[in-house]
Amino acid sequence: MKTLQATNDFVIKFANVNGSGSASANTLFAKSIARMGVPVSPRNIFPSNIQGLPTWYEVRVCEAGWNARRGGADLMVAMNPQTWEKDVAEVTAGGYLFYDSTRPMPSGKFRDDILVIGMPLTEICNATYTDPRQRQLFKNIIYVGALSALLGIELAEVEKLIAEQYKGKEKLLEPNVKALRMGHEYALAKLPCPLGLQVRRADKVGDKVFLEGNNAAALGAVFGGATVCAWYPITPSSSMAEAFAKHCRKYRVDKETGKNNFAIVQAEDELASIGMVIGAAWNGARAFTCTSGPGISLMSEFIGLAYFAEIPATLVNVQRAGPSTGMPTRTQQSDVLLCAYASHGDTKHPILFPQDAKEAFEFTADALDIADRLQTPVFVLTDLDIGMNERLCDPLTWDDARTYDRGKVLTKEQLDAGARFGRYLDVDDDGITYRTYPGTHPSRGSFFTRGTSRDRYARYTEEGSAYVDNMERLLRKFETAKHYMPKPEVRPGAKPSRYGAIYYGSTAPAMEEALALFEAEGIHLDALRVRAFPFQDTVIDFVNDHDHVFVIEQNRDGQLRTLLVAEGAIDPSRLGSVLHFDGTPITARFIHGDIAKRLSALQVTPLRRTVAGGASGE
């Protein structure tokens, strides 16, 4: 049998049982490869379940640096009998299957086209440990040791990571190192080392860091000046609020008094949480909430209040697949339209689309500025793939000279000097009015906040002309918003092309790899990454400059495409949807295959090139 042969370019997948302690061991495995200078892209693939049910952890090893999910598995570490058939079927032909061979498996459970590697992990643990929990936990470390021998991972790097993990807990350090070495030595003595898949030291990681998107967004909220977080637990956003609390305990406690300079409230539901955010923001605090799609649905009425009363609010929506208890641990980009038009009546909300943890940090901080500047709710749309997975990204940077943009806020001195104040009076013709904080002045600058119809001086009225005047001003403000949003990124093809592609958010890594695949085939596509809504003119111009543009999304209904058609007055026939919505992260293979098929229908073929010997190929 011919087995796969690859160095620093393969996928390994761990099939485990939830609650078995495998997560830390699998993360240890992934990070040890990164410590050898080889880029890795790990992902948790886990259904919504409780302890004892299946979970998967997928690691893409790719010296070229592609960090999108590739699909398939070259080596399956099958530790869960419940999912055996599915896991074995997923292995690429010529790949490898590593399993616990303590209990013999019928020959019919294997495949003839993969190399099977059995190691009696349970038997080894039972002979070494008496405590049932230790047997389970150390079994994970033992297989990491065995894999390090099989794949050529330097044991010293794994040991350094264990030492860092258990710093100050030396009683745990020694037994973990012992278990690691036990697995390593067993594999060297009794298993087919080395495998055709190998890790070799490189220098391709550079200064990149492992970072989870929710953690990064939480840090962005701290650096962006947020002092209030009100939230209600919901997968997959809960860890952002937890991370914000952790960062606040480090950065937001007065060193002299020991008092907290922050407020974090776990509300009774999502509606209450956004109400608290709006109340805090109205009083002058920078406030945010983190949630997912179902939470946005419940918050809609208060989002409408903030839009019409013009109160800043930042909402980080870590998108997932489906509503309610459907697929909360699956990823999608399925809340684009929900957030763009959240609430009743005519509303439009600014949205930022970060592509990774670094941008989650930057865009969350930016959103707090934008919300204050525009006096409106602003959404940051990440998703589970970004939010709950540690990924290599560029280091976070911050300009210490940066100041917070609080927007148009009148001070007591300005009011004393006779500044004309009308809470909804547009004196600059940009749609943004001046506001005051409560208590700014004893007799001037006060107003009544309401979400219903009013005139320019916040006086209640149901006159149609006043309502139209206010709604048209809000449209001017939305137009002004374009100047404060992150600009799109344009990636021209190597040669001019009549065809383009638009993508956003977590689709970016797969899209960038797919573009490279097309370039290698001589097919040139221009590409544009949307980073914000409302769309800048660059986005609309990009569409109009091409005969046909593919819009790549992770939802069923082509929500960004719908938004482009609605807001950009674009002919729908110019936009084709490439849609992936099974709850797993999109892959370059999927994008390449789908677009290639459509290009074929459009009669676009690869350029033919001359190869050695005068033959031609594609």
Side-chain angles (χ1 to χ4, degrees):
M1 179 183 60
K2 186 177 180 180
T3 56
L4 293 176
Q5 306 291 309
T7 300
N8 294 351
D9 187 11
F10 58 88
V11 173
I12 178 170
K13 190 168 184 177
F14 298 83
N16 297 106
V17 176
N18 198 13
S20 63
S22 61
S24 60
N26 296 342
T27 302
L28 182 73
F29 169 85
K31 289 184 175 180
S32 66
I33 298 175
R35 288 289 180 92
M36 290 179 62
V38 182
V40 294
S41 178
R43 280 176 173 81
N44 274 306
I45 308 292
F46 57 103
S48 176
N49 61 36
I50 58 175
Q51 184 169 322
L53 293 179
T55 185
W56 293 268
Y57 187 82
E58 192 174 280
V59 180
R60 182 178 185 183
V61 181
C62 184
E63 186 173 337
W66 302 120
N67 62 9
R69 185 172 182 245
R70 194 202 71 181
D74 302 316
L75 168 59
M76 178 68 69
V77 180
M79 294 289 124
N80 188 355
Q82 294 176 327
T83 59
W84 177 270
E85 285 78 11
K86 177 182 177 181
D87 298 331
V88 172
E90 195 173 344
V91 181
T92 305
Y96 305 85
L97 174 69
F98 179 92
Y99 80 108
D100 182 355
S101 60
T102 300
R103 292 185 178 180
M105 297 285 288
S107 59
K109 292 288 187 178
F110 300 108
R111 284 169 47 191
D112 295 334
D113 61 344
I114 60 177
L115 180 62
V116 178
I117 306 162
M119 180 174 175
L121 293 165
T122 301
E123 180 182 312
I124 293 170
C125 289
N126 289 346
T128 309
Y129 308 103
T130 56
D131 180 80
R133 185 58 177 166
Q134 282 190 332
R135 288 174 173 174
Q136 178 58 60
L137 294 176
F138 286 123
K139 181 167 74 171
N140 303 318
I141 301 299
I142 290 171
Y143 73 58
V144 170
L147 291 171
S148 69
L150 290 163
L151 300 172
I153 300 170
E154 296 172 12
L155 197 64
E157 294 294 352
V158 191
E159 291 181 353
K160 286 179 187 177
L161 283 166
I162 293 176
E164 292 171 13
Q165 183 176 342
Y166 293 109
K167 186 177 181 180
K169 302 177 182 178
E170 277 64 30
K171 289 184 178 180
L172 296 174
L173 172 59
E174 184 179 346
N176 275 275
V177 171
K178 181 181 178 181
L180 178 74
R181 291 176 178 172
M182 188 188 310
H184 187 83
E185 292 165 4
Y186 182 97
L188 288 176
K190 300 185 179 182
L191 300 181
C193 296
L195 296 183
L197 306 179
Q198 285 289 291
V199 179
R200 290 288 180 267
R201 182 169 285 278
D203 187 19
K204 300 297 184 180
V205 173
D207 61 355
K208 291 184 183 295
V209 295
F210 266 111
L211 191 58
E212 181 193 78
N214 283 351
N215 190 11
L219 194 60
V222 172
F223 274 71
T227 56
V228 176
C229 169
W231 66 295
Y232 183 77
I234 181 172
T235 303
S237 70
S238 295
S239 61
M240 180 182 170
E242 294 161 357
F244 182 72
K246 178 182 177 182
H247 294 314
C248 282
R249 288 193 292 270
K250 182 176 182 180
Y251 296 111
R252 287 254 194 276
V253 177
D254 189 281
K255 294 181 179 179
E256 295 183 1
T257 65
K259 291 184 178 180
N260 293 337
N261 293 324
F262 62 91
I264 301 172
V265 182
Q266 182 177 322
E268 63 268 30
D269 55 34
E270 286 89 351
L271 183 60
S273 67
I274 190 61
M276 293 174 186
V277 166
I278 292 169
W282 179 74
N283 275 283
R286 284 201 153 177
F288 78 94
T289 189
C290 49
T291 187
S292 192
I296 299 296
S297 298
L298 294 171
M299 295 176 183
S300 289
E301 186 172 2
F302 263 149
I303 292 171
L305 170 64
Y307 175 82
F308 285 104
E310 298 182 66
I311 301 171
T314 297
L315 300 93
V316 180
N317 178 358
V318 189
Q319 299 169 98
R320 68 189 206 185
S324 189
T325 55
M327 293 172 64
T329 59
R330 302 293 185 173
T331 192
Q332 273 189 11
Q333 297 172 315
S334 54
D335 297 339
V336 177
L337 292 175
L338 172 67
C339 293
Y341 303 121
S343 192
H344 38 264
D346 294 320
T347 56
K348 293 184 183 182
H349 307 295
I351 303 175
L352 292 84
F353 301 106
Q355 69 169 342
D356 60 11
K358 186 176 190 295
E359 285 195 345
F361 167 78
E362 296 169 347
F363 286 11
T364 302
D366 290 344
L368 291 158
D369 270 352
I370 294 168
D372 268 351
R373 165 53 63 181
L374 298 176
Q375 303 170 29
T376 197
V378 174
F379 291 86
V380 180
L381 258 62
T382 67
D383 54 34
L384 185 146
D385 190 32
I386 294 173
M388 292 191 69
N389 286 310
E390 282 191 310
R391 203 71 46 75
L392 284 172
C393 69
D394 292 329
L396 307 184
T397 58
W398 185 260
D399 182 1
D400 289 332
R402 174 173 169 174
T403 58
Y404 301 139
D405 184 353
R406 300 311 302 263
K408 297 181 178 182
V409 180
L410 290 177
T411 65
K412 180 178 184 298
E413 291 72 23
Q414 289 172 311
L415 292 169
D416 280 336
R420 182 185 179 193
F421 178 69
R423 176 61 185 94
Y424 302 108
L425 179 66
D426 182 11
V427 298
D428 300 319
D429 201 34
D430 60 1
I432 306 172
T433 63
Y434 284 82
R435 61 176 174 144
T436 58
Y437 297 141
T440 295
H441 196 284
S443 60
R444 298 178 182 175
S446 61
F447 62 95
F448 187 79
T449 299
R450 66 174 80 249
T452 51
S453 186
R454 66 290 170 109
D455 66 11
R456 297 177 180 183
Y457 295 89
R459 297 173 299 207
Y460 179 76
T461 178
E462 294 185 19
E463 289 293 329
S465 58
Y467 182 80
V468 169
D469 177 66
N470 189 59
M471 296 300 286
E472 289 179 342
R473 178 182 60 79
L474 290 173
L475 275 181
R476 289 199 302 276
K477 180 165 74 169
F478 197 69
E479 186 68 22
T480 299
K482 295 178 181 179
H483 302 293
Y484 299 103
M485 308 301 283
K487 291 180 171 55
E489 286 187 352
V490 180
R491 298 168 58 99
K495 295 182 178 180
S497 175
R498 295 181 297 140
Y499 300 95
I502 288 178
Y503 60 103
Y504 63 104
S506 65
T507 304
M511 187 65 220
E512 290 165 5
E513 185 178 356
L515 289 171
L517 293 174
F518 280 120
E519 290 291 343
E521 295 173 342
I523 296 177
H524 306 291
L525 289 175
D526 297 326
L528 180 144
R529 178 165 72 93
V530 170
R531 302 205 298 163
F533 172 74
F535 305 122
Q536 287 96 339
D537 293 342
T538 305
V539 178
I540 310 305
D541 292 343
F542 179 87
V543 177
N544 292 331
D545 288 342
H546 293 85
D547 292 349
H548 194 79
V549 175
F550 303 99
V551 185
I552 296 86
E553 307 190 54
Q554 298 183 76
N555 59 65
R556 186 197 68 180
D557 293 338
Q559 295 187 24
L560 185 71
R561 178 184 179 276
T562 298
L563 207 56
L564 285 165
V565 170
E567 298 292 331
I570 294 170
D571 179 356
S573 66
R574 300 173 69 92
L575 298 175
S577 288
V578 177
L579 305 174
H580 181 274
F581 49 91
D582 68 359
T584 62
I586 196 169
T587 67
R589 291 178 177 179
F590 178 89
I591 296 172
H592 177 268
D594 195 303
I595 293 181
K597 181 172 62 176
R598 294 165 187 262
L599 287 175
S600 178
L602 292 168
Q603 297 183 337
V604 178
T605 58
L607 296 175
R608 301 187 68 82
R609 63 182 186 274
T610 302
V611 297
S616 63
E618 292 185 353

